[in-house]
Amino acid sequence: IPVVLLTARAQVEHRIAGFESGADAYLPKPFNAQELRVRVQTLIAERQRLRRRFAGSVHAAPEQDPAAEEPMALPPREEAFLAKVEDVITEHLSDTHFGVERLAEELAMSRRQLFRKLRALVEETPASLIRRRRMEYAVRLLHQNDLAIKEVAYEVGYQSPTSFTKAFREVYGVPPSEYILPE
C-alpha cells in the first residue's frame, strides 16, 4: 500500500525522516488537490509495473523475461523484501517440505501477513510464487539435458516424478518430456 504523508512539517529534515520511515510521497500542507491526485495515480502505476515485473506469467515461455520490458526502481523496503523472498525460495528449491509456512517462518512473518504483502506487491500468492520458481528452475534444468525428468523432479522439490509431471503440464500445457527442445 503506497504511503503518502500530508503534513505541516515542510523542513528538509522532516521530509528526509518521512522518506527514511518508508513514505512513498511527502506533501507539505497546504497541498494542491490536483498534485495529490497525480502523485497517487503515479504511485498506483508504479505498483502495477512492480507487479508485472515480479509476477510475470507462468504460462509464458521461460525464455521471455517479464522484468526485461520495464526497468524500474523499487522502493528500498519492497526491493529488500522481494529480494529476501527470492533468496529464501531459491535456497529451498529442492526441499520437498518447503512451503508457505516455512517461507513465512524464514521471513519472520505470519502466513497471513506474507500472503497479504505478496498479493499487494506482485498479485501472487506465496504458494504460486514458490511453484512458479520451481517450474522456472525445472525448465532450466531440462534445457541442460544432462538430467533425467525424474532427477529434475527431485531437484525442484517434488516427492514424485508423477506429481512433478502433473504440475508441469498444468503450467506449460505439455509434459516435461515433450517440453525438452531437441538439439
Side-chain angles (χ1 to χ4, degrees):
I1 299 172
V3 175
V4 179
L5 294 178
L6 298 175
T7 178
R9 296 180 161 196
Q11 290 81 17
V12 174
E13 58 271 4
H14 294 124
R15 293 173 63 92
I16 291 171
F19 286 121
E20 285 177 343
S21 67
D24 295 297
Y26 192 100
L27 297 174
K29 292 180 182 177
F31 64 91
N32 180 303
Q34 184 177 0
E35 179 184 7
L36 175 61
R37 269 192 296 278
V38 169
R39 188 64 187 125
V40 168
Q41 288 171 346
T42 303
L43 288 169
I44 291 170
E46 287 175 8
R47 291 297 193 269
Q48 290 170 341
R49 283 193 303 272
L50 174 69
R51 287 181 184 132
R52 283 194 307 269
R53 177 178 179 192
F54 282 95
S57 171
V58 290
H59 300 289
E63 298 83 32
Q64 296 172 350
D65 181 12
E69 64 187 32
E70 281 185 49
M72 184 178 87
L74 304 175
R77 278 187 175 179
E78 292 169 355
E79 187 174 331
F81 172 74
L82 290 173
K84 177 73 172 166
V85 169
E86 293 292 328
D87 290 345
V88 170
I89 291 172
T90 302
E91 182 180 323
H92 296 286
L93 276 176
S94 61
D95 182 355
T96 58
H97 301 291
F98 181 74
V100 178
E101 289 293 331
R102 290 262 316 274
L103 177 61
E105 249 177 58
E106 294 269 340
L107 296 170
M109 302 176 85
S110 71
R111 181 183 171 123
R112 186 175 181 92
Q113 183 182 16
L114 175 64
F115 181 87
R116 276 190 248 151
K117 185 147 181 140
L118 284 176
R119 282 298 259 189
L121 290 175
V122 295
E123 290 184 342
E124 196 167 7
T125 65
S128 66
L129 183 62
I130 292 168
R131 178 180 170 189
R132 183 163 54 91
R133 292 296 181 239
R134 283 185 166 153
M135 289 297 130
E136 289 169 352
Y137 185 52
V139 166
R140 284 196 302 269
L141 292 174
L142 288 169
H143 281 257
Q144 291 175 355
N145 285 335
D146 57 347
L147 293 176
I149 292 171
K150 180 172 136 180
E151 294 170 314
V152 171
Y154 296 134
E155 189 67 31
V156 296
Y158 281 84
Q159 292 181 338
S160 77
T162 306
S163 62
F164 168 71
T165 299
K166 181 181 175 189
F168 194 93
R169 185 186 304 260
E170 287 173 6
V171 173
Y172 294 110
V174 295
S177 57
E178 289 180 26
Y179 192 85
I180 300 171
L181 302 173
E183 291 184 24

